[in-house]
Amino acid sequence: MLDQIRALYQSMPTKLAAARKKFGRPLTLTEKILVSHADNFETQVWERGKAQLLLRPDRVAMQDATAQMALLQFMQAGKKRVAVPSTVHCDHLIRAQSGAKPDIDRAIEENKEVYNFLRSAARKYGIGFWKPGAGIIHQVVLENYAFPGGLIIGTDSHTPNGGGLGMLAIGVGGADAGEVMAGLPWEVLHPKLIGVKLTGRLEGWTSPKDVILYLCGLLTVKGGTNKIVEYFGPGASTISATGKGTITNMGAELGATTSIFPFDEKMVAYLNLTERAELAKLAQTNRELLVADPEVLQAPEKYYDQIVEINLSELEPNVVGPHTPDLARPVSKLAAEAKEKGYPMQLTAALIGSCTNSSYEDISRAAHIARQGLKAGLKAKAHFLVTPGSERIYNTMIRDGFMKTFEEMGGTVLANACGPCIGQWKRDDVKQGEKNSIISSFNRNFPARNDGNAETLSFLSSPEVVTAMAFAGTLDFNPATGTLTTKDGTKIQFEPPRGEELPAKGFAKGEEGFEAPAENGDALKVEIPPTSERLALLEPFPRWDGRDFAKLPILLKARGKCTTDHISPAGPWLKFRGHLDKISDNMFLGATNAFTGETGKVTNALTGEAGQTPTKVARQYKAQGVGSIVIGDENYGEGSSREHAAMSPRFLGVKAVLTKSFARIHETNLKKQGILPLTFAAPSDYEKFEEKDRVSVTGLANLAPGKPVEVVIHKASGQEIKIQAHHSMTAQQIGWFKAGSALNALN
Ligand code: MIC
Ligand code: SF4
């Protein structure tokens, strides 16, 4: 790996010089990395917000829930071995129930078929395999593979976690990953750049998490779409590498393509402690390649499309939620707001850890709060769950006594896996449909995300705030100023959290859980039992038949937030991620029907039967050879990279999705799977669609980049309304549509 990085650094000066010359100006860090990973610098067009970039990533990472489709698609390309270094990480499929050890044992049993498939495919095709229990993909990547100046793509939207080590780490759908592994360049819209200037220094209760929570409130969940957030300024180098990772990780909640920090001494310290001293040295000698040019820092407004300034010294600890990560406020304002809005005050659960926040620094600061509470004789009043991010963190937590502290306060330490963050949480303290509040240090809080209950109000904050809240057991507690009463009636106030950025004794190691692939996998077989309920080989989607879409029924008109968690819920459905037909039963179960206000229920336009699941109706249409259209609101497909949110609709006959706007990864996933993603030329046209309407999309034979298409709304009365819709497809992407999918276009 070091050789690969050395070769990259060696190649950079010439490429950067060529770019400075061509652009006629100095370069931002993002541009340095994009330019040095261009498939062909000379022929590439470099217009931000307009050009499609063709890039050559250094690696691919996949987690078990998305790797199944990524590998099934890669297999369709018929290659012998992956073209770029790649890894699979088993983390999402582990259910959190009784604690680390029993949960892993159960997961290995429950997911045997899927793990065998992933392991056998990894061995055969030259992919590294991280066993269940080895840790959450983003932590394992940070500890082992991330490096300053690199470009990695990962089949998970929080891949940007790697930005904490100064790389462009970008979340993609499985089809993108499959193509890159098959040797093709990776395509992405040239992002615009948001420069975030950090000054001051984090103090007291304020932590890296607050930087991103604050930004979520400021920029909203759409604010980063097709943009890269590049941090700079004197404040940046005061934040630990893992703290930077928290910030870049959750840049996904802004919809950003990714986020990145410039190389600095904090990264050196982290690389050294994760046994990559040579890499740290190499990066140090190439420092000027791994930070923005000095002129950029002197006049950033000239080089970034948008600038935000944050003084870390003035930043307050924040809490966001419920139901969306951009509903932000300082924790000091939460009590009043919760009262006013009638949020249930009592906290039923407090959860720390996850891929976003389980560094040594996070855990040691949380443990410092925990120790103070214990000393005063307090115990957690809410269920307290801890999810370590990796095997190293887990073992270091045991060695340094944090585990014991959390257990003493009444906490449960779960497996190194996604667990409750992805709805793999077996909760029996709250009934379905019961309104209740929870708080976590995770990154997502869509309705039903954690426990499958849409009535759970989920708030997000830093691990130290969450730990203090666990002691208080109520939402209206401000850890910085509030007091808690001990058994003997005395009142205590927490001292601000203190922790260490990195373990003084180094990381304790457990079983690392890595399995290398076979040297030559030609003779090996990929294990897919023919009768499997969990895995099925993919059938190519049919090609476009050359005809316009005529009078399609509206399968769903979604109102409000329609994230990938609404389109293709996770939790119990995760087990079908390798079986397209079976997982499609979950299609749109979380979406709000704009016509009726119901969740996950639609009317069959052919029979008039109301209250049906979208999948049932779509299957009936499909059986009769009828396609359908989906109408969506703003930022449709926000959230995850899961391409099931595009594949299920495609599989069940959805021809087009027409929305006010799309989230980046989902829009690409729709294109890749052969669905037409359209946006209203006039967003208010959204209102024109009624339940009994039929919709035509015309002029498809003349689809061309930048050319709007016509949509006709056929009213039940016979009236016709014509509106215009835009698409963002390039000529190549139109080719995918015509071929039926990107994969069909390859073959
Ligand atoms: C998520 O946080 O939503 C997930 C689960 O990690 C997803 C991937 C998936 O759905 O498998 C993501 O963020 O891409
Ligand atoms: Fe796992 Fe949650 Fe991180 Fe997604 S956000 S990778 S589900 S821990």
Side-chain angles (χ1 to χ4, degrees):
M1 206 181 124
L2 207 58
D3 288 342
Q4 189 196 1
I5 302 172
R6 195 172 286 121
L8 171 70
Y9 290 172
Q10 274 166 4
S11 75
M12 282 176 78
T14 329
K15 291 182 180 169
L16 302 189
R20 286 190 195 97
K21 195 157 159 227
K22 186 163 180 168
F23 305 166
R25 56 172 177 79
L27 302 174
T28 61
L29 170 58
T30 298
E31 287 168 325
K32 290 188 180 182
I33 302 179
L34 293 177
V35 159
S36 49
H37 289 83
D39 182 44
N40 183 336
F41 174 76
E42 292 308 325
T43 55
Q44 177 67 55
V45 179
W46 293 98
E47 200 181 346
R48 290 188 198 165
K50 296 246 164 65
Q52 288 294 123
L53 297 176
L54 285 180
L55 303 172
R56 291 282 173 185
D58 299 305
R59 36 176 66 243
V60 175
M62 294 162 279
Q63 44 91 339
D64 51 1
T66 47
Q68 299 170 57
M69 279 299 168
L71 289 172
L72 288 167
Q73 293 178 85
F74 169 76
M75 283 162 61
Q76 284 187 307
K79 300 279 180 221
K80 285 193 160 184
R81 214 175 159 82
V82 288
V84 293
S86 306
T87 46
V88 167
H89 303 260
C90 297
D91 52 2
H92 281 60
L93 299 177
I94 301 169
R95 275 195 297 139
Q97 190 171 345
S98 19
K101 175 82 174 78
D103 288 354
I104 296 278
D105 290 346
R106 196 179 337 92
I108 291 177
E109 196 43 45
E110 273 175 6
N111 301 311
K112 211 187 249 156
E113 270 179 26
V114 172
Y115 293 150
N116 286 345
F117 162 64
L118 294 174
R119 179 183 269 121
S120 61
R123 268 186 73 72
K124 178 172 176 65
Y125 296 115
I127 300 170
F129 181 77
W130 289 83
K131 288 197 289 201
I136 307 177
I137 176 168
H138 311 305
Q139 285 304 319
V140 176
V141 166
L142 198 72
E143 288 173 2
N144 295 276
Y145 302 122
F147 67 92
L151 174 69
I152 184 174
I153 58 168
T155 58
D156 191 279
S157 64
H158 293 105
T159 304
N161 195 64
L165 270 184
M167 81 185 314
L168 288 181
I170 305 183
V172 299
D176 289 46
E179 288 169 18
V180 170
M181 291 190 292
L184 294 174
W186 175 63
E187 200 186 355
V188 67
L189 179 67
H190 191 332
K192 293 197 170 185
L193 295 185
I194 304 183
V196 178
K197 180 172 181 185
L198 300 177
T199 57
R201 166 183 284 278
L202 295 167
E203 271 158 45
W205 283 91
T206 313
S207 73
K209 181 69 161 243
D210 299 304
V211 174
I212 189 64
L213 296 183
Y214 169 78
L215 272 177
C216 283
L218 188 76
L219 300 174
T220 81
V221 291
K222 280 176 54 179
T225 310
N226 294 321
K227 293 176 185 159
I228 289 183
V229 184
E230 184 171 320
Y231 292 84
F232 62 92
S237 54
T238 66
I239 301 175
S240 63
T242 49
K244 291 178 168 92
T246 296
I247 297 172
T248 58
N249 173 307
M250 226 187 136
E253 274 47 62
L254 302 169
T257 303
T258 191
S259 307
I260 188 167
F261 274 87
F263 176 66
D264 65 15
E265 289 309 303
K266 298 284 188 189
M267 297 184 193
V268 171
Y270 184 76
L271 286 171
N272 283 337
L273 216 73
T274 47
E275 293 156 30
R276 289 174 290 171
E278 261 194 86
L279 167 55
K281 260 203 225 111
L282 185 63
Q284 278 175 306
T285 42
N286 288 285
R287 181 184 300 270
E288 75 282 5
L289 306 175
L290 310 172
V291 298
D293 282 342
E295 299 89 330
V296 171
L297 302 179
Q298 271 146 29
E301 62 292 345
K302 281 205 215 149
Y303 304 100
Y304 298 97
D305 302 287
Q306 183 182 346
I307 300 267
V308 178
E309 267 196 63
I310 303 177
N311 182 345
L312 300 175
S313 308
E314 287 170 3
L315 192 65
E316 278 189 70
N318 272 251
V319 178
V320 303
H323 301 323
T324 181
D326 54 6
L327 188 54
R329 86 285 285 160
V331 65
S332 57
K333 304 248 160 61
L334 180 62
E337 191 176 328
K339 206 159 153 207
E340 183 198 317
K341 297 193 174 155
Y343 300 149
M345 266 327 163
Q346 194 207 337
L347 281 169
T348 51
L351 308 97
I352 63 168
S354 90
C355 70
T356 332
N357 265 124
S358 61
S359 65
Y360 191 79
E361 186 178 28
D362 291 329
I363 300 294
S364 63
R365 280 167 68 89
H368 177 237
I369 299 300
R371 281 197 303 274
Q372 294 180 48
L374 285 173
K375 207 165 140 212
L378 300 174
K379 289 253 187 257
K381 286 207 184 127
H383 288 283
F384 186 58
L385 301 174
V386 184
T387 308
S390 72
E391 188 66 1
R392 276 190 203 176
I393 291 288
Y394 181 79
N395 285 293
T396 311
M397 278 171 66
I398 300 184
R399 187 198 64 196
D400 293 355
F402 301 149
M403 188 86 94
K404 203 161 145 262
T405 305
F406 293 136
E407 282 172 356
E408 272 170 22
M409 76 177 260
T412 306
V413 179
L414 303 170
N416 308 321
C418 299
C421 179
I422 176 75
Q424 293 275 59
W425 179 17
K426 196 157 176 295
R427 220 188 154 181
D428 32 34
D429 58 321
V430 168
K431 284 197 281 305
Q432 266 299 321
E434 197 178 317
K435 207 165 171 189
N436 74 107
S437 296
I438 65 173
I439 188 162
S440 78
S441 72
F442 304 167
N443 45 23
R444 292 249 155 102
N445 61 350
F446 307 138
R449 164 87 179 177
N450 303 112
D451 56 4
N453 178 6
E455 294 302 319
T456 295
L457 277 68
S458 163
F459 295 85
L460 308 173
S461 196
S462 68
E464 43 274 46
V465 168
V466 173
T467 307
M469 296 288 226
F471 280 114
T474 59
L475 260 189
D476 55 357
F477 177 69
N478 179 354
T481 56
T483 52
L484 295 178
T485 312
T486 66
K487 271 205 207 95
D488 61 13
T490 43
K491 291 199 180 313
I492 72 140
Q493 195 175 359
F494 288 112
E495 263 177 45
R498 279 198 310 273
E500 288 155 64
E501 278 179 22
L502 292 167
K505 288 188 258 173
F507 282 110
K509 277 214 205 151
E511 196 204 338
E512 293 254 324
F514 176 76
E515 290 175 16
E519 285 292 326
N520 180 342
D522 291 0
L524 300 178
K525 272 216 146 44
V526 177
E527 292 176 33
I528 302 186
T531 54
S532 177
E533 298 239 297
R534 308 232 2 216
L535 296 158
L537 287 171
L538 293 171
E539 295 280 337
F541 290 130
R543 301 182 74 83
W544 176 55
D545 61 8
R547 292 203 301 255
D548 281 346
F549 298 150
K551 298 202 169 170
L552 301 174
I554 300 174
L555 178 64
L556 166 78
K557 177 177 173 181
R559 189 181 69 209
K561 241 189 206 315
C562 192
T563 71
T564 46
D565 276 79
H566 295 80
I567 305 170
S568 178
W573 293 98
L574 276 173
K575 60 173 181 292
F576 299 125
R577 283 287 184 89
H579 200 298
L580 185 54
D581 193 349
K582 287 214 183 305
I583 199 167
S584 297
D585 283 338
N586 76 352
M587 189 175 73
F588 293 119
L589 282 184
T592 308
N593 180 338
F595 302 127
T596 62
E598 290 170 301
T599 305
K601 294 270 159 54
V602 298
T603 302
N604 183 324
L606 303 182
T607 63
E609 238 181 314
Q612 307 293 304
T613 61
T615 183
K616 187 167 173 207
V617 172
R619 285 182 195 274
Q620 285 166 348
Y621 291 168
K622 188 175 173 183
Q624 296 184 38
V626 176
S628 62
I629 186 167
V630 168
I631 310 294
D633 215 321
E634 291 285 4
N635 210 23
Y636 179 91
E638 172 188 338
S640 152
S641 66
R642 62 188 75 148
E643 60 204 322
H644 308 78
M647 292 179 97
S648 292
R650 175 71 169 107
F651 177 64
L652 295 182
V654 173
K655 305 285 182 201
V657 178
L658 172 58
T659 69
K660 292 187 189 166
S661 60
F662 285 103
R664 173 189 63 96
I665 306 181
H666 186 63
E667 184 177 18
T668 306
N669 285 345
L670 289 171
K671 291 177 184 172
K672 292 253 155 171
Q673 303 301 340
I675 291 186
L676 206 59
L678 302 173
T679 50
F680 300 106
S684 58
D685 284 345
Y686 170 87
E687 305 301 335
K688 298 192 172 135
F689 291 81
E690 292 175 294
E691 193 165 27
K692 296 210 164 78
D693 296 349
R694 296 297 173 94
V695 183
S696 299
V697 185
T698 61
L700 294 182
N702 300 321
L703 266 182
K707 188 170 160 229
V709 297
E710 191 170 81
V711 174
V712 187
I713 312 173
H714 307 269
K715 294 284 168 194
S717 63
Q719 187 203 358
E720 282 186 2
I721 305 177
K722 290 198 172 131
I723 63 167
Q724 281 214 326
H726 296 302
H727 69 82
S728 65
M729 288 183 293
T730 59
Q732 187 194 16
Q733 293 169 343
I734 292 171
W736 302 344
F737 167 72
K738 292 187 172 161
S741 71
L743 211 67
N744 290 354
L746 270 185
N747 296 327

